[in-house]
Amino acid sequence: MKLNERSLANRSQWLEHGFELPEYNRAEMRARTRKNPMWLHFGAGNLFRAFPALCQQWLLNAGLSDRGIIIADNADMVEKNFRQHNELSLTVTLCPDGSIEKVVVGSIAEAVSRLEDSVRLCEIFCSPSLQMVSFTITEKGYRLKDSSGKYVEDVEHDMLAGPSFSISYMGRLVAMLYQRYCKGATPLALVSMDNCSHNGEMLRNAFVSFAEAWVKSGACEQGFLDYVSDERCVAFPWSMIDKITPRPDAQVREMLLRDKFDDVAGFVTKRGTYVAPYVNAEKTQYLVIEDNFPNGRPPLEKAGIYFTDRTTVERAESMKVCTCLNPLHTALAIFGCLLGYTLINEEMKDPNLLAMVRRIGYDEGLPVAEDPGILSPRAFLDEVINERFPNPFLPDSPQRIACDTSQKLPVRFGVTVKSYLVRDDMSRLKMIPFVFSGWCRYLLAVDDELKPFELSADPMIPELMECLKGVEAGKPE
């Protein structure tokens, strides 16, 4: 069986092998979406395909929506992972009890390259029917400045050049919003779904920074800055998203082959992302979004997504990103690489590593975690430590999680550290400082037995290597 429309026409063979299929007329959905787009998403990696795209499919199956999602990504991702498969995807859910759910996801209506298809992308962005533009582009996607506080080169270029000549990721996005403003200034919600503290605020600050620079240089009028700054026109809802989606796993691939699914070949994108036509993921998932959509939105609350106020989102995000999950993940990533582990669930069998994450979570994080009300921090942490991380059927690796650690450390530990600073109680922190020292040791790229290993991708590695020049593991101990 191939992941394309022609193969799906023989529904019986798919159902016979345990695959769930779209239950709507996909051709009609795609035509409606292309004509009147509702939802555009940037960064269609594993998390997006296994969670938001699956939620939209649920709405389509239930007849609660008649349109899908248009995705924008790099050319190789668009061509190899979407167009080649008629924009279909397969989500494989790996449950803690060993059961497996296989769902063919058809809610992606169109895939466009954010560079090669710029005319079409701008057309979508300017459509009055467009209600939301969402993002899963990782923390570094929002970065305008380097570690010294200076604008990075392409952003600095865009600030001076204006919307017509933008070349940076964020500059191109703001330029498309400017086109929407010029063609009627229809309201829009721009939703970051990345694991960043105050992600909506971070996205808004980036857009406002460009608008202010362009007004100052005369590249655009004051009205555009007013449009971007008014949340009745352009909203930047905050969000918290949580679902573990490891790299495509070889055992899952073999299982799919046994189930007669042939399209299992994966590839590595130019940015170093591991992708395949299928996504393997855990069952647990949470998405909490500030309900601020000035042009309307799909009824995603019917698919299990929480819509609430900003304060509740902030507390949920802080609970997850800063205390109850991501800091623990980062700690396991660093020490897993140093100790030669390749699976998170295997690390959880190590009594020392288990004691470390329990202390980071329960002793150092939980006392300063804010309760969002809709989710219990202690129950959430219990689920992470006792069910999610030890899941033997979830093949997640410390090497994957260690990517971009330089960007993650301030976000994942900074709020907790600040809380203890305010309390003047820093002496209580033992394991969080230990994680930072472990990261410095990790950057030497030799394991606990002084054998070399490959550092995971990180935009600051060249700069960090310069800082560590002359430092050698074991000398002194």
Side-chain angles (χ1 to χ4, degrees):
M1 299 183 294
K2 298 286 187 181
L3 191 62
N4 57 46
E5 290 285 4
R6 182 176 179 180
S7 180
L8 284 187
N10 186 355
R11 292 178 63 89
S12 60
Q13 65 175 344
W14 289 84
L15 297 174
E16 179 184 343
H17 289 94
F19 292 84
E20 297 179 34
L21 302 179
E23 298 172 6
Y24 46 91
N25 187 314
R26 193 160 180 265
E28 293 180 0
M29 178 276 290
R30 296 180 79 182
R32 280 191 295 266
T33 304
R34 288 173 175 172
K35 184 177 181 181
N36 293 298
M38 174 184 65
W39 181 355
L40 172 63
H41 183 85
F42 285 84
N46 294 337
L47 177 61
F48 166 76
R49 291 188 290 147
F51 192 176
L54 196 58
C55 288
Q56 186 62 21
Q57 168 136 311
W58 192 93
L59 295 184
L60 287 162
N61 284 340
L64 297 173
S65 181
D66 63 357
R67 281 167 288 174
I69 308 169
I70 299 174
I71 66 99
D73 213 313
N74 295 325
D76 56 344
M77 184 77 162
V78 167
E79 192 57 44
K80 296 177 183 177
N81 220 41
F82 289 101
R83 290 178 181 166
Q84 187 173 319
H85 302 289
N86 302 136
E87 285 78 32
L88 293 162
S89 182
L90 176 67
T91 294
V92 181
T93 302
L94 308 170
C95 305
D97 62 2
S99 61
I100 294 172
E101 300 169 3
K102 299 170 292 188
V103 180
V104 176
V105 181
S107 60
I108 297 172
E110 183 181 1
V112 295
S113 166
R114 62 182 183 84
L115 295 179
E116 282 78 357
D117 302 319
S118 58
V119 173
R120 172 58 180 154
L121 191 55
C122 193
E123 180 183 69
I124 296 164
F125 218 101
C126 293
S127 175
S129 62
L130 189 68
Q131 296 178 328
M132 63 185 289
V133 180
S134 55
F135 306 88
T136 47
I137 57 177
T138 75
E139 290 100 329
K140 61 187 175 184
Y142 305 89
R143 187 168 64 98
L144 302 186
K145 298 180 179 180
D146 60 24
S147 57
S148 68
K150 296 180 180 179
Y151 286 118
V152 296
E153 186 176 348
D154 57 354
V155 170
E156 185 175 28
H157 167 275
D158 292 356
M159 293 285 189
L160 298 172
S164 298
F165 304 99
S166 292
I167 58 175
S168 69
Y169 197 119
M170 200 57 64
R172 288 174 178 269
L173 288 170
V174 184
M176 284 188 282
L177 185 64
Y178 178 63
Q179 290 299 314
R180 185 179 180 87
Y181 164 76
C182 293
K183 295 184 179 180
T186 311
L188 187 66
L190 302 169
V191 189
S192 170
M193 295 182 179
D194 280 297
N195 285 318
C196 308
S197 184
H198 296 185
N199 52 17
E201 181 180 41
M202 187 182 301
L203 183 61
R204 182 182 186 277
N205 288 344
F207 272 69
V208 170
S209 293
F210 275 100
E212 287 176 339
W214 290 345
V215 169
K216 185 177 180 180
S217 68
C220 72
E221 57 271 37
Q222 176 66 36
F224 177 58
L225 177 57
D226 296 338
Y227 172 67
V228 174
S229 303
D230 186 349
E231 293 218 345
R232 294 170 298 180
C233 300
V234 182
F236 297 87
W238 295 19
S239 75
M240 182 280 276
I241 192 166
D242 180 25
K243 188 179 183 74
I244 299 173
T245 53
R247 292 172 179 172
D249 181 65
Q251 291 184 340
V252 174
R253 180 171 65 245
E254 293 303 315
M255 179 272 295
L256 291 173
L257 287 171
R258 290 194 298 271
D259 287 341
K260 308 302 180 184
F261 180 80
D262 300 322
D263 274 331
V264 294
F267 68 99
V268 181
T269 68
K270 295 176 182 177
R271 298 171 60 194
T273 303
Y274 292 75
V275 292
Y278 66 92
V279 180
N280 37 236
E282 67 170 341
K283 189 174 184 65
T284 302
Q285 59 186 33
Y286 301 98
L287 179 52
V288 184
I289 305 177
E290 178 187 0
D291 200 358
N292 186 9
F293 292 79
N295 201 31
R297 62 169 176 80
L300 288 162
E301 68 277 7
K302 300 292 178 67
I305 293 176
Y306 296 90
F307 287 91
T308 183
D309 59 88
R310 179 173 294 185
T311 299
T312 302
V313 175
E314 181 179 16
R315 289 174 177 169
E317 173 262 319
S318 181
M319 177 199 73
K320 183 256 180 181
V321 174
C322 306
T323 55
C324 294
L325 191 149
N326 293 98
L328 282 60
H329 237 176
T330 294
L332 289 170
I334 291 169
F335 290 102
C337 292
L338 285 171
L339 296 172
Y341 285 99
T342 57
L343 289 172
I344 293 294
N345 63 69
E346 290 296 324
E347 286 190 76
M348 293 298 285
K349 297 176 184 177
D350 184 313
N352 291 313
L353 294 179
L354 177 58
M356 177 186 69
V357 294
R358 288 185 65 86
R359 182 156 181 175
I360 293 171
Y362 289 108
D363 297 345
E364 299 184 8
L366 205 55
V368 296
E370 288 194 278
D371 189 341
I374 58 174
L375 300 169
S376 162
R378 179 167 287 277
F380 187 93
L381 184 58
D382 288 343
E383 184 180 50
V384 167
I385 290 179
N386 299 324
E387 298 177 28
R388 298 174 68 184
F389 284 1
N391 183 351
F393 304 102
L394 190 68
D396 206 2
S397 71
Q399 290 74 23
R400 178 189 78 89
I401 299 163
C403 291
D404 305 329
T405 299
S406 68
Q407 312 296 291
K408 296 172 180 175
L409 283 168
V411 174
R412 299 184 174 184
F413 294 98
V415 171
T416 297
V417 171
K418 286 178 182 178
S419 296
Y420 279 91
L421 279 169
V422 169
R423 294 179 177 204
D424 194 22
D425 196 19
M426 287 292 286
S427 62
R428 284 196 59 184
L429 296 183
K430 296 294 189 296
M431 288 297 104
I432 288 177
F434 181 61
V435 173
F436 277 79
S437 62
W439 179 60
C440 294
R441 173 64 181 79
Y442 159 88
L443 289 171
L444 299 179
V446 290
D447 64 18
D448 202 45
E449 297 179 353
L450 302 184
K451 296 178 181 177
F453 67 87
E454 183 179 355
L455 295 175
S456 298
D458 190 308
M460 286 188 68
I461 282 178
E463 183 176 344
L464 294 164
M465 292 301 96
E466 188 66 26
C467 294
L468 291 167
K469 187 179 292 183
V471 179
E472 188 175 346
K475 296 181 181 180
E477 175 98 59

